[in-house]
Amino acid sequence: MDSRSLIVPDGLDGLRVDAALAKMLGFSRTFAADIADAGGVRMDGRSLAKSDKLRAGAWLEVEWEARRDPEIIPVDVPELGIAYDDDDIVVVDKPAGVAAHPSIGWEGPTVLGALAAGGFRIATTGAAERQGVVHRLDVGTSGLMVVAKTERGYTALKRAFKEREVDKIYHAVVQGHPDPLSGTIDAPIGRHPTHSWKFAVTPTGKDSVTHYETLEAFPGASLLEIHLETGRTHQIRVHMAAHRHPCVGDPLYGADPTMSARLGLTRQWLHAHELSFAHPATGDWVTFRSEYPADLEHALRVLRDEA
């Protein structure tokens, strides 16, 4: 059996059990509902059904039966775009709600599953469920992601990401106005000391560096361009939250749920806008860009109309 114990964050107050577990632990909503139906969710010692509501500050205990190792299941994802494709690499434009690769508890679509359904041949290097994957985007983050199709591509790109020879530019809408308007956040990131599903700035964490610049300011929010030197899990979300400017729409890291609702957001406003690297076959420097998807564009329009 696997288990997690944690305090319900303010941003998930009043949310259904199945929806909250999906957000907190990365499960599919179906799997989260199955856990509740099996009696695996307790709040302050009381068993909860999948439709029960969580209460901020309560002690939540979740226990579930570990499933077999995940496997790549071909599933058509029409919203997933192909920004570039050749013999060595494929650059995808990932929509929100799609995981990079299969994982235990996730039953939704994946980038690798979508590529398999589209007939793409992917490098066999790496764990069986992560073959060809050299970097990842969170399920709730949209934008560009490169996958290796050959062993040559995998080896070269894996080294480039490790040696910080890849330019990764994100756009994010955060709450408030960072001071200064542009700067660098250099703070180590590791597992949260009390919440195993979260990350935090911690002295024992890994070196993490984020550069940001304000592109546009609105009442109560800012559009930032963010350059990542490192690629830690949840790096942008953690760094901005640590500076009291969480990504809008990100309740796990302290976003205001009323602002999220006003902007029509059901996930963090975070988009992998530009990706540049040396092509593994030619050595040429290549750059790819992705436009904002409809939900992020809508949120921006609302903010601009309010200005």
Side-chain angles (χ1 to χ4, degrees), residues 82-284:
I82 302 298
Y84 178 80
D85 175 40
D86 66 18
D87 290 342
D88 289 278
I89 62 173
V90 55
V91 179
V92 302
D93 198 344
K94 187 186 85 65
V98 177
H101 57 74
S103 60
I104 294 174
W106 176 254
E107 296 177 351
T110 67
V111 169
L112 293 186
L115 291 175
F120 289 85
R121 174 181 53 82
I122 303 302
T124 58
T125 306
E129 75 279 8
R130 296 195 301 273
Q131 290 179 350
V133 173
V134 294
H135 72 125
R136 293 175 289 183
L137 296 178
D138 295 342
V139 171
T141 299
S142 53
L144 296 170
M145 177 179 158
V146 60
V147 179
K149 296 175 67 176
T150 63
E151 309 314 307
R152 172 177 64 181
Y154 182 89
T155 300
L157 287 172
K158 199 71 174 176
R159 183 200 61 78
F161 275 94
K162 181 179 180 181
E163 299 298 326
R164 305 183 187 181
E165 296 173 351
V166 177
D167 284 349
K168 296 169 286 184
I169 299 177
Y170 292 73
H171 283 185
V173 172
V174 302
Q175 292 181 194
H177 307 113
D179 183 13
L181 294 178
S182 61
T184 296
I185 304 172
D186 187 348
I189 292 176
R191 289 281 180 184
H192 195 284
T194 58
H195 302 292
S196 59
W197 45 274
K198 287 179 67 174
F199 292 81
V201 170
T202 172
T204 59
K206 295 181 179 179
D207 176 43
S208 306
V209 181
T210 301
H211 307 283
Y212 71 89
E213 177 183 357
T214 300
L215 298 179
E216 194 170 353
F218 316 100
S222 303
L223 173 63
L224 306 183
E225 180 164 287
I226 296 174
H227 296 245
L228 291 184
E229 277 195 31
T230 52
R232 309 305 177 200
T233 303
H234 296 183
Q235 179 172 323
I236 294 172
R237 299 164 68 188
V238 170
H239 270 172
M240 298 316 301
H243 281 249
R244 301 185 179 181
H245 298 290
C247 292
V248 171
D250 190 3
L252 294 187
Y253 288 100
D256 178 3
T258 60
M259 178 181 284
S260 306
R262 192 176 82 248
L263 300 180
L265 286 173
T266 58
R267 51 105 168 191
Q268 64 266 15
W269 205 116
L270 182 58
H271 185 68
H273 174 63
E274 187 173 310
L275 183 64
S276 303
F277 51 86
H279 192 283
T282 66
D284 294 337

Side-chain angles (χ1 to χ4, degrees), residues 3-153:
S3 63
R4 296 288 188 275
S5 298
L6 46 104
I7 295 173
V8 177
D10 292 342
L12 299 184
D13 184 53
L15 202 64
R16 283 174 53 114
V17 165
D18 50 1
L21 292 187
K23 285 180 174 291
M24 287 190 292
L25 301 177
F27 295 153
S28 69
R29 193 156 173 171
T30 300
F31 184 54
D34 289 344
I35 295 172
D37 289 341
V41 183
R42 293 182 299 279
M43 184 170 67
D44 290 340
R46 180 175 65 88
S47 292
L48 299 181
K50 63 185 178 184
S51 60
D52 287 339
K53 305 295 178 62
L54 296 188
R55 187 179 70 257
W59 185 250
L60 191 69
E61 299 170 275
V62 186
E63 187 176 70
W64 68 93
E65 188 72 40
R67 296 189 170 183
R68 59 185 175 84
D69 291 339
E71 59 181 329
I72 298 172
I73 299 176
V75 176
D76 186 37
V77 181
E79 300 84 6
L80 185 136
I82 302 298
Y84 178 80
D85 175 40
D86 66 18
D87 290 342
D88 289 278
I89 62 173
V90 55
V91 179
V92 302
D93 198 344
K94 187 186 85 65
V98 177
H101 57 74
S103 60
I104 294 174
W106 176 254
E107 296 177 351
T110 67
V111 169
L112 293 186
L115 291 175
F120 289 85
R121 174 181 53 82
I122 303 302
T124 58
T125 306
E129 75 279 8
R130 296 195 301 273
Q131 290 179 350
V133 173
V134 294
H135 72 125
R136 293 175 289 183
L137 296 178
D138 295 342
V139 171
T141 299
S142 53
L144 296 170
M145 177 179 158
V146 60
V147 179
K149 296 175 67 176
T150 63
E151 309 314 307
R152 172 177 64 181

Side-chain angles (χ1 to χ4, degrees), residues 281-295:
T282 66
D284 294 337
W285 192 252
V286 292
T287 297
F288 307 96
R289 294 181 181 87
S290 168
E291 300 302 318
Y292 304 149
D295 60 336

